[in-house]
């Protein structure tokens, strides 16, 4: 069964935006890769900005579902899930197609906070920190939002480090630092 034109266009845009960057990717290249034309592209996505936002929203849904499923499959206890986050990030950093985080990359290309692309990227990380904060709260950590921010900073740093130097072991180093932060948070609860 053939994919619908909208799906093909979104898939082509996703591949090109992630591998080449958003601003470096033209709608002609997207239409060509999708086996479509610009008229059909604009029928489904009235502007390139609409296509970029659709890409980021789909990436958010797909990555979040994959990520949470992988973390949940690796651990049963909330404390173990906090550490499993870094194992899952490590798996992702090792895929050959890895080109960094689509949301960090998009925010770098659209740095103004009011820009819709920047907002969607920031919202992804707000939800990511919320997931970590919920796990920290389940552990009984007194300041779960604070720990979530600290662990998120470690994740983001590992992502960028790995983007700058492949096979750097950044996720493992971040996990070791996270274990210290988690232990400190737990010791404050007893």
């Amino acid at each position: 069964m053939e994919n619908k034109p909208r799906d093909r266009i979104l898939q082509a845009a996703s591949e090109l935006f992630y591998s080449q960057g958003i601003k470096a990717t033209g709608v002609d290249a997207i239409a060509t890769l999708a086996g479509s034309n610009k008229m059909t592209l604009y029928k489904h996505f009235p502007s390139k900005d609409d296509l970029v936002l659709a890409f980021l929203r789909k990436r958010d849904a797909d990555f979040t579902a994959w990520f949470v499923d992988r973390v949940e499959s690796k651990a049963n206890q909330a404390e173990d899930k906090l550490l499993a986050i870094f194992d899952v990030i490590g798996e992702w950093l090792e895929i050959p197609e890895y080109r960094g985080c689509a949301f960090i990359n998009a925010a770098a290309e659209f740095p103004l906070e009011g820009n819709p692309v920047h907002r969607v990227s920031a919202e992804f990380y707000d939800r990511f920190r919320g997931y970590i904060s919920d796990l920290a709260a389940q552990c009984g950590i007194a300041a779960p939002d604070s720990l979530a921010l600290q662990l998120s900073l470690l994740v983001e740093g590992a992502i960028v480090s790995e983007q700058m130097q492949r096979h750097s072991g950044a996720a493992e180093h971040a996990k070791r630092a996270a274990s210290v932060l988690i232990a400190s948070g737990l010791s404050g609860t007893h």
Side-chain angles (χ1 to χ4, degrees):
M1 183 175 186
E2 188 174 319
N3 288 341
K4 296 178 182 174
R6 183 186 192 284
D7 296 336
R8 288 195 322 267
I9 292 166
L10 185 54
Q11 179 61 37
S14 297
E15 290 174 25
L16 292 172
F17 288 156
Y18 186 64
S19 66
Q20 298 178 3
I22 294 168
K23 290 183 177 180
T25 301
V27 293
D28 288 326
I30 295 167
T32 299
L33 183 60
S36 187
N37 57 52
K38 286 193 331 187
M39 186 165 62
T40 301
L41 184 149
Y42 285 123
K43 174 185 169 195
H44 294 285
F45 302 96
S47 70
K48 183 179 174 184
D49 289 345
D50 292 321
L51 183 53
V52 170
L53 293 173
F55 152 66
L56 289 171
R57 289 185 179 114
K58 181 173 181 354
R59 184 68 164 219
D60 182 345
D62 292 348
F63 185 84
T64 300
W66 172 82
F67 181 80
V68 170
D69 182 61
R70 293 295 301 139
V71 169
E72 298 291 322
S73 74
K74 289 185 171 293
N76 295 320
Q77 303 299 316
E79 181 181 346
D80 297 330
K81 289 177 185 179
L82 286 172
L83 287 174
I85 286 169
F86 294 88
D87 296 329
V88 175
I89 290 295
E91 291 174 10
W92 174 54
L93 299 180
E94 290 300 316
I95 65 170
E97 303 82 18
Y98 176 77
R99 299 290 181 272
C101 172
F103 303 98
I104 292 172
N105 294 347
E109 286 195 64
F110 297 87
L112 299 178
E113 288 184 26
N115 183 287
V117 171
H118 190 95
R119 278 198 315 267
V120 168
S121 298
E123 289 165 4
F124 169 81
Y125 274 99
D126 287 343
R127 283 188 296 281
F128 181 71
R129 281 187 294 278
Y131 172 71
I132 297 172
S133 181
D134 288 346
L135 290 175
Q138 291 172 33
C139 295
I141 290 175
D145 290 343
S146 179
L147 180 64
L149 177 57
Q150 293 167 355
L151 297 183
S152 179
L153 290 170
L154 288 173
V155 168
E156 293 164 32
I159 288 168
V160 173
S161 291
E162 189 65 26
Q163 187 175 6
M164 299 300 290
Q165 181 182 356
R166 296 291 284 149
H167 312 293
S168 68
E172 186 56 40
H173 292 290
K175 182 179 180 180
R176 285 197 290 268
S179 68
V180 172
L181 293 170
I182 294 165
S184 175
L186 289 171
S187 70
T189 62
H190 300 296

